[in-house]
Amino acid sequence: MHDASTGSDTSTGSTGKTARPSRRAVLAATAGLTAALAVPTTARAAAPGDDRRLRALISRMTLEEKVGQLFVMRVYGHSATAPDQADIDANRSEIGVGTAAELIAKYRVGGIIYFTWAHNTRDPHQIADLSDGIQKASLDQPRGLPVLIATDQEHGAVCRVGKPATLFPGAMAIGAAGSRADAHTLGRISGAELRAIGINQDYSPDADVNVNPANPVIGVRSFGADPDAVAALAAAEVKGYQASRVAATAKHFPGHGDTATDSHTGFPVITHSRDLWEKLDAVPFRAAIAAGIDSIMTAHIQFPALDDSGDPATLSHPILTGILRGELGYDGVVITDSLGMEGVRTKYGDDRVPVLALKAGVDQLLNPPSLDVAWNAVLKAVQDGELTEARLDESILRILRLKARLGLFDDRRAGRTSIEHTVGTEAHLAAADRIAERTTTLLVNEDDTLPFSPRTEPRLLVVGADPASPSGTTGPPTGVLAAALTELGFTATALSTGTAPSAATVAQAVEAAQDADAVVVATYNVTAGNAQRTLVEQLLATGKPLAALAVRNPYDVAQLPSVKACLASYGWTDVEVRAAARVIAGSVPPRGKLPVPVQRADDPTQVLYPIGHGLTY
C-alpha cells in the first residue's frame, strides 16, 4: 500500500540492526537548544463575514455531502472522465467507481490525492487537465464545492511531480545548507508550480526531528536532528508554499523522528518523556503553527508519555484535541496520514478508524483502504448518535475556510497560460542548482584526496548503488554522476553495482578500476553486514584514489573507516547528484554542514562527527 507520506521507495536502508544512541548522546549531539517557542497564535483566522457565508453553506449541505467533505481519496487515471481502461478497472476494484468524476458524484469527496503510481502525474498539461476535470466534476454537483487536490511534493526522496517541474534537494540536504532563505525559495517556487497545474495542497514539509539513525521511514525526509534548526527551516518553507497560495502541511504530529519501525508496516512506539517531547519534537510544530501552517498531518505512532491508552496519535483525543488544539492553540485543518497504513489499523478495524479519528479531533481522513467502508461507517456513526452532525460541521468549517483562503471558490481552474511561464523555467531550475551547491557535505578528506582533477585523474570509474528512482531522477545515480563528471572534463564510466553487490559484481568493479585513475563509489545506507562495504574495501585495495558519496543517509561514513574521502549528498535525485559532481571536480567548494550527528559504528553512544561538521577546500 502506497500512502501519503512516503514514496514508492520505502526501503529501511538497513538490513542489519543499528544500535540506538542513548538519550544523553542525542541531547549532547543537539547541544545548544533554546527554550521551546512560546505558544503562538492560531492558524490564520477567517473574516467574520466569510465564516457566516461558510456556515450558511454548511447548513444547506446534506449529511451525505458533509461526510464526503471529510475524505481525501486516491483515484487512478490521467483524466477525470476518460482514464485508460486499466485505471478504470483498478478504480472499480478498489473504489467501486470507474473515474474521478464518478468518485466525486458518488461520495462527494472534499479532496483527492495524486500519486505517480496511480498515473495522475504524467506531465504538467495532463496534470492541469486532470485537476480541471476534477474541479468541474465537483462544480456540477448541487453545492458546487471546490476540491482540495493534494500530493506529496517533499522533494528529494519523496516527489510525485517529476520533470519538467523544478526538483529541489530534499529536506536533510536543505538542513545541510542551513539557509532559511533557501527553504523559503523552495516552497515559493515549488508552490507556484504546483498551483499552476491545479494542485493546491502539499503534504510538506516534514517537521520531524530525526534523532534516530535507524529510522526506516523519515531519515533524509527530515531537516535534521536539531529541533531549533528544523523549526526555522520548516517555518520558512511553510511561508514559501503559502505565499504561492498552496496549503502547506507539517507532518507527522506529534513527531515521527525517533522510530525504528516503519508505520506503513508496523506500529512504532515513541519512548520520549513529556519533557523531552517539549524540547525536541514539539519545537518545529510550534514554529509551523506560528508561521500560519494551513494543515498538520498526524502520525500513526504510540506515544505513551502523551497518551497512555495505547492508541495511535491519529486516534488520540488527548494528543490531537488536548495538546494540538488546546495547548498549542492550533485551529487549522488536521489530516490523518494514510488510513491504509498498518500503524493505524493494528488495534481497530477499518470501519472504526475513521470514526475514532474524528472523535479524536481530525478533520480530513486520508486515503482509507476502502472508501465505501469508511464513508458508511462515518455516516452510520452520525445516524446512531456516536458522532454529532455538529462535530462534522466543525471540521467542514475548517476545510471550507482553507478552500476559501486558497481562493478555490473563485478560481478553480489551473492556469493554462501560466504553465510554460511557471513550471520548470530556466530561472527556477537555476535556483534549484544554486541551492543544491550549498548542500553537499565533505565529511572526510585525508591527504587532500579531493577534489579530483581532469589533469591528474582524467579517467574516473563511477560505481555503486542504484536505489529505486524518485521522480527527480533520470536514472541510477552512478549514471547521472558519470554524465555530470564527463561534462566537467573527465572521462567517466558508470558501473551500477547495486545496494547489495554480489561477489561477481565486486570482482567486475575491481577489474574495471584497473583502467581508471580514480574511483567514485555511490553508497546507499551501508550497514555492518552490507556487501557495499566489501565493494569499497576491495576497491581501496587497488590503490586507486577513491571517494565515497553517500547518496541517502549520511551515516554511511561510520561504516567506512578506511575511506580517505567521503561526501554526503542526502539524496540521489539529479539536482543533488549533479551538485555533488561539481564538488568532486572542485568547480564549487563543499559548503554543507551535517544537520545530524554521526555516531561511531562500534559505539553508538559516541559521536564521530557532530552537527555542524563539514570540511571545505
Side-chain angles (χ1 to χ4, degrees), residues 156-330:
V158 178
C159 215
R160 309 302 189 202
V161 180
K163 295 180 177 180
T166 304
L167 286 312
F168 287 88
M172 192 170 285
I174 298 298
S179 167
R180 283 178 286 184
D182 285 352
H184 187 276
T185 297
L186 183 159
R188 178 180 55 79
I189 291 176
S190 182
E193 296 195 7
L194 292 175
R195 181 82 185 199
I197 57 178
I199 296 173
N200 46 55
Q201 185 174 24
D202 189 13
Y203 298 144
S204 186
D206 191 308
D208 299 311
V209 182
N210 198 82
V211 294
N212 188 347
N215 196 322
V217 67
I218 303 302
V220 294
R221 298 169 60 203
S222 162
F223 290 108
D226 181 333
D228 294 324
V230 173
L233 295 171
E237 194 168 303
V238 165
K239 291 179 180 178
Y241 274 111
Q242 295 183 176
S244 293
R245 301 184 82 192
V246 166
T249 307
K251 59 188 184 186
H252 307 80
F253 189 83
H256 210 313
D258 191 16
T259 59
T261 300
D262 186 343
S263 51
H264 299 85
T265 57
F267 188 18
V269 179
I270 301 287
T271 58
H272 292 183
S273 67
R274 172 65 191 247
D275 182 62
L276 183 58
W277 176 79
E278 291 279 3
K279 294 176 180 177
L280 204 67
D281 308 276
V283 178
F285 289 101
R286 289 184 186 273
I289 293 169
I293 186 74
D294 278 321
S295 55
I296 291 177
M297 181 179 286
T298 67
H300 303 326
I301 56 173
Q302 187 182 158
F303 211 131
L306 305 183
D307 178 1
D308 61 5
S309 69
D311 285 345
T314 297
L315 309 182
S316 169
H317 190 275
I319 291 175
L320 299 186
T321 296
I323 296 175
L324 181 57
R325 298 284 192 208
E327 296 179 26
L328 272 61
Y330 181 64

Side-chain angles (χ1 to χ4, degrees), residues 533-559:
R533 286 189 63 176
T534 303
L535 171 68
V536 172
E537 289 164 359
Q538 293 199 22
L539 286 169
L540 284 169
T542 67
K544 305 287 184 177
L546 182 145
L549 171 66
V551 297
R552 187 161 185 157
N553 291 322
Y555 312 114
D556 289 4
V557 65
Q559 298 290 345

Side-chain angles (χ1 to χ4, degrees), residues 257-486:
D258 191 16
T259 59
T261 300
D262 186 343
S263 51
H264 299 85
T265 57
F267 188 18
V269 179
I270 301 287
T271 58
H272 292 183
S273 67
R274 172 65 191 247
D275 182 62
L276 183 58
W277 176 79
E278 291 279 3
K279 294 176 180 177
L280 204 67
D281 308 276
V283 178
F285 289 101
R286 289 184 186 273
I289 293 169
I293 186 74
D294 278 321
S295 55
I296 291 177
M297 181 179 286
T298 67
H300 303 326
I301 56 173
Q302 187 182 158
F303 211 131
L306 305 183
D307 178 1
D308 61 5
S309 69
D311 285 345
T314 297
L315 309 182
S316 169
H317 190 275
I319 291 175
L320 299 186
T321 296
I323 296 175
L324 181 57
R325 298 284 192 208
E327 296 179 26
L328 272 61
Y330 181 64
D331 194 35
V333 171
V334 175
I335 181 170
T336 71
D337 206 339
S338 170
L339 298 184
M341 294 166 61
E342 190 62 27
V344 78
R345 302 173 75 189
T346 299
K347 193 173 177 183
Y348 301 100
D350 292 338
D351 59 334
R352 293 300 300 155
V353 166
V355 175
L356 295 174
L358 291 169
K359 292 176 75 171
V362 158
D363 301 307
Q364 287 186 302
L365 301 161
L366 179 62
N367 203 24
S370 170
L371 179 58
D372 193 64
V373 168
W375 190 91
N376 280 292
V378 174
L379 183 68
K380 185 175 185 299
V382 177
Q383 292 169 338
D384 292 348
E386 183 179 6
L387 285 170
T388 66
E389 198 164 343
R391 168 65 192 88
L392 267 57
D393 291 351
E394 292 175 12
S395 287
I396 295 165
L397 180 59
R398 293 190 187 101
I399 294 166
L400 295 185
R401 279 175 181 161
L402 176 54
K403 293 179 179 183
R405 195 157 61 240
L406 296 173
L408 299 185
F409 285 96
D410 304 315
D411 178 19
R412 309 184 192 193
R413 293 181 60 81
R416 260 319 155 274
T417 59
S418 71
I419 291 177
E420 271 71 28
H421 300 289
T422 306
V423 179
T425 64
E426 288 187 12
H428 288 179
L429 295 174
D433 279 334
R434 285 195 301 272
I435 289 172
E437 286 184 352
R438 294 189 275 271
T439 65
T440 306
T441 306
L442 181 61
L443 302 172
V444 179
N445 195 28
E446 296 178 14
D447 302 329
D448 292 328
T449 300
L450 288 174
F452 291 147
S453 168
R455 294 187 299 276
T456 55
E457 295 95 8
R459 298 171 302 169
L460 297 183
L461 174 67
V462 181
V463 303
D466 54 350
S469 298
S471 294
T473 61
T474 55
T478 50
V480 174
L481 188 57
L485 289 167
T486 297

Side-chain angles (χ1 to χ4, degrees), residues 125-143:
H125 283 285
Q126 169 270 314
I127 299 170
D129 287 340
L130 174 61
S131 301
D132 287 348
I134 286 169
Q135 297 294 5
K136 181 180 184 303
S138 191
L139 181 64
D140 288 343
Q141 301 306 312
R143 236 55 61 191

